[in-house]
Amino acid sequence: MATHIKRHGGIGPKGDQRITSLAAATALTVPAGANMAVLQAETQNIRVVFDGSTPTTTKGLLLKTTDEPLIFEGDLSQIKVIEVTASAALNVTYLAS
């Protein structure tokens, strides 16, 4: 049975994205109206920046596969990610508040 995010307290779902090509710095593909993102590293750790700069394997916030999902609210077009080790994947859920 699928789990769905339901509108509650003014927050509603806008879409999901799974990024598996992270060898180079990659921007998110943000759906219209989304201003929040829930990010979760899967398979390998990733680095993430929120200011539009370019992350590297040593620059940016380290998001480990063992970390709780990271929730960010703001300008999602400025987020970029890169894998720390090959074969990383990033799952993103987009929300609107």
Side-chain angles (χ1 to χ4, degrees):
M1 179 177 203
T3 302
H4 300 280
I5 296 173
K6 295 183 180 178
R7 182 173 280 285
H8 178 70
I11 297 175
K14 285 295 185 178
D16 298 296
Q17 182 180 13
R18 180 172 171 82
I19 307 172
T20 57
S21 180
L22 293 166
T26 304
L28 304 181
T29 303
V30 182
N35 67 337
M36 295 176 70
V38 181
L39 296 88
Q40 184 174 34
E42 189 176 306
T43 66
Q44 299 292 342
N45 301 336
I46 65 165
R47 295 272 182 180
V48 58
V49 296
F50 303 95
D51 62 359
S53 63
T54 302
T56 68
T57 59
T58 58
K59 177 190 170 212
L61 177 75
L62 180 62
L63 186 57
K64 297 179 180 181
T65 58
T66 56
D67 290 344
E68 294 290 324
L70 174 71
I71 301 171
F72 178 81
E73 183 174 10
D75 186 356
L76 303 182
S77 69
Q78 296 297 305
I79 297 175
K80 292 183 184 176
V81 296
I82 194 167
E83 63 191 12
V84 174
T85 304
S87 302
L90 177 67
N91 293 313
V92 184
T93 296
Y94 296 99
L95 304 164
S97 60

